[in-house]
Amino acid sequence: MDRNARVEPGPPVDQNALKRAAARAALEEVVDGAIVGVGSGSTVELFIEELHGGAARPAGAVSSSERSSQRLRAAGIEVYDLNRVLAEGRRLPVYIDGADEIDGALHMIKGGGAALTREKIVAAACERFVCIVDASKCVARLGRFPLPVEVIPMARELVAARLRALGGRPLLRDGVVTDNGNHILDVVGLDIDDPAALESEIDHWPGVVTVGLFARKGADVVIIASAQGIERRAASGARA
Ligand code: 5RP
């Protein structure tokens, strides 16, 4: 081979178009007449757009952030209170959300949009977690994306010191107050060898509201959009 031959770059990847493709593919997960759990972030906002006027007919949604609730209402989709839905014994068959990173076991880092706590609550209330991502979110090992930790403001330094003791470098997300009135520490440098064990450890510290590891309950299915098309991967034991 001519060592000076130029390798032509492929066509540029439009990440937004990939996010929309993943969002559109998730429409078939929506159960007509049931309430759908809706996450947060730009991919989810595209999912809400696709839901609006699409063929899927959910009864409404429970939402994981004020922003998603606004978008849902603007799209004419009723937003239900989670407590009321559960008290009435209604089913929540599916939760649709994005991720900042997802690994081969469908463990995730979430919280780039600071909605991690409500995302974990709504995900826990739903029967099936369908994660929608463009291929750039897929990693062999979690940890390149800074790990968000939502903390009670008065516990910020206490939690930061414990994160440093684990080898992490926490940074306060400037100017961000979560929907729950709390702060976010973004942590780099942690060794995430065992995501579920780290999630359990950090979640138990006083002052931690939620760590952005979703490993004890990861996704059941991930819908990945790439230049090659749509790929679905299921967690072991989950329906594809
Ligand atoms: C918000 C989240 C989002 O799912 C995550 O940040 C991915 O966002 P996007 O779809 O904008 O890439 O966890 O807290």
Side-chain angles (χ1 to χ4, degrees), residues 15 28 33 40 61 73 81 87 106 119 122-123 135 197 207 220 230-231 236:
Q15 199 182 7
E28 65 187 55
S40 302
R73 289 193 186 101
D81 173 65
L106 310 199
E119 289 170 349
V122 180
D220 295 293
I230 293 287
E231 185 191 344
S236 67

Side-chain angles (χ1 to χ4, degrees), residues 15 19 39-46 64-65 95-101 108-117 119 129 131-134 136-137 145 148 173 184 212 214:
Q15 199 182 7
K19 287 181 178 190
S40 302
S42 58
T43 316
V44 163
E45 286 176 14
L46 294 169
S64 69
S65 65
Y95 177 69
I96 312 281
D97 200 357
D100 298 301
E101 282 186 352
M108 295 162 282
I109 287 183
K110 293 184 43 55
L116 62 166
T117 297
E119 289 170 349
F129 188 141
C131 181
I132 48 176
V133 290
D134 67 88
S136 71
K137 306 291 185 67
F145 190 89
R173 200 180 295 180
I184 299 283
F214 285 57

